[in-house]
Amino acid sequence: MPGTTLDPEPNFDWNYERAFDAQHRPWCAVRLPEHATGDIQVAGEYVVYALRTMSTRAGRKVDVLGYSQGGMVPRWALRFWPDTRAFVDDLVGLDPSNHGTVDADTTCAQSCDAANYQQASLARFIAALNSGAETFRGIDYTVVYSRTDEVVVPNVDVASSSSLRTGDGRIANIAVQSICPADPSEHLAMGSYDAVGYALAVDALDHAGPADRARVPVTVCAQPLQSGVDPATFPQQYARYLQAVGQNSASARMLSAEPPLKRYVLR
C-alpha cells in the first residue's frame, strides 16, 4: 500500500514489486482514492475489501506491507472491521504514520488535503485509530522507521510516531540506524530504495513473528540500493517517484478542516 500522494506504480513497481517478482512471491497492490490524499476512512474501506478478497482467493492469511500512510491505514481496517483480523498474518510498516506527525499540526492550520489533516498528531482520526488497543492478538506487527525521518515527526526510538506500543499483537519497532548507525535514509528513501528497511520487511515476511534485527546481517549497510532496484535506471525511476509526489500533492483536493469521523467510529 502506497504512501500519501502516491499510487502503487511510482511507489513500488521499480523496487518491491520487481524484487517480489524475482522471488516468485505473489503480491497485490492496493490503489487508494485520490492518490492517497483523500479521506483515510474511505481508504480504509478499500483495505477492508482488499483483505477480504485476497485472503479468500489465496485460501490463507495474507501479509500486508505499506509505506507511510500505507503502513498505517491497514490498522484502521483492523480496528473498526474486526473480521479482517482473521485474514492478516503480518503487518509491516515502513515509516508508518501510526501516531501522526507534529509537522501537520502546523502546516494544516489553514488548509490541507483530507489525508494530511488526518495525519496530524492532534487529529481526531489519529485519536480514533489509537483508541483502545493499537494491536491485536494473532497478528505480527513490524514497524521499520528512520530516526532521520523528516515527515513523520518525531520518529526517535520508543517515543517515535511510527512505533506501536499497546495491544496483544506481537510487536517489533526497529530503527534502521539500530543496525546501520550511519544510515542516512529520510522518509522518501525508506519508501523506495533503503536496503535496511527492505531487509527487515522481508525478514518479517519470511519468519514466524515480527522481524528480528539480529537476523539482518550488517553487510546490508554496504548496499546503496535495496533488491529490485536497478542501479542503471535508478535515477530515472526515483525522479518519476518524486514527480508523482509533487504532482499529486499540487492537485490534491484542499479542505478547510479535517473530515468528520464516520458514525461507526463514534458508536
Side-chain angles (χ1 to χ4, degrees):
M1 297 183 194
T4 305
T5 71
L6 286 163
D7 294 313
E9 294 84 359
N11 203 156
F12 296 127
D13 72 1
W14 55 285
N15 42 59
Y16 278 89
E17 292 177 7
R18 187 180 292 171
F20 289 172
D21 284 343
Q23 298 161 9
H24 305 289
R25 189 190 301 270
W27 57 267
C28 296
V30 180
R31 188 181 306 275
L32 302 177
E34 300 181 55
H35 311 292
T37 65
D39 187 341
I40 303 176
Q41 297 171 103
V42 177
E45 296 177 20
Y46 280 60
V47 176
V48 170
Y49 177 81
L51 293 178
R52 289 171 174 168
T53 301
M54 288 189 283
S55 179
T56 298
R57 290 182 180 177
R60 55 183 168 84
K61 291 185 175 183
V62 297
D63 298 323
V64 184
L65 171 70
Y67 159 57
S68 193
Q69 181 194 149
M72 171 271 286
V73 66
R75 293 186 50 234
W76 188 265
L78 296 169
R79 170 68 178 83
F80 292 105
W81 281 266
D83 71 291
T84 62
R85 298 169 198 168
F87 303 145
V88 177
D89 186 22
D90 281 87
L91 173 55
V92 181
L94 305 167
D95 274 349
S97 50
N98 284 322
H99 295 90
T101 172
V102 297
D103 283 0
D105 295 338
T106 302
T107 58
C108 291
Q110 300 298 324
S111 65
C112 259
D113 59 65
N116 274 296
Y117 265 125
Q118 292 168 316
Q119 290 176 97
S121 71
L122 300 177
R124 294 187 299 275
F125 173 89
I126 290 294
L129 171 69
N130 295 310
S131 61
E134 295 180 359
T135 67
F136 298 99
R137 185 183 305 277
I139 302 175
D140 299 323
Y141 296 80
T142 297
V143 173
V144 183
Y145 67 96
S146 174
R147 294 170 182 157
T148 57
D149 190 334
E150 80 292 8
V151 174
V152 178
V153 180
N155 235 3
V156 180
D157 297 329
V158 176
S160 72
S161 170
S162 289
S163 292
L164 296 171
R165 306 175 186 93
T166 69
D168 296 325
R170 292 192 289 183
I171 305 169
N173 299 308
I174 306 174
V176 293
Q177 288 84 8
S178 68
I179 297 172
C180 304
D183 190 326
S185 294
E186 38 65 69
H187 193 72
L188 290 168
M190 285 295 296
S192 61
Y193 68 84
D194 180 78
V196 189
Y198 171 83
L200 286 165
V202 170
D203 183 80
L205 300 180
D206 286 346
H207 295 88
D212 183 348
R213 66 185 182 187
R215 290 193 294 253
V216 176
V218 295
T219 52
V220 73
C221 302
Q223 298 176 17
L225 301 171
Q226 70 168 66
S227 295
V229 177
D230 183 346
T233 60
F234 170 69
Q236 296 93 333
Q237 299 288 5
Y238 191 68
R240 179 177 66 121
Y241 171 62
L242 296 180
Q243 183 181 36
V245 171
Q247 288 181 344
N248 294 332
S249 179
S251 63
R253 183 167 52 93
M254 304 300 283
L255 306 177
S256 59
E258 179 187 346
L261 292 174
K262 301 291 187 181
R263 290 184 179 180
Y264 64 79
V265 178
L266 303 174
R267 291 173 183 168

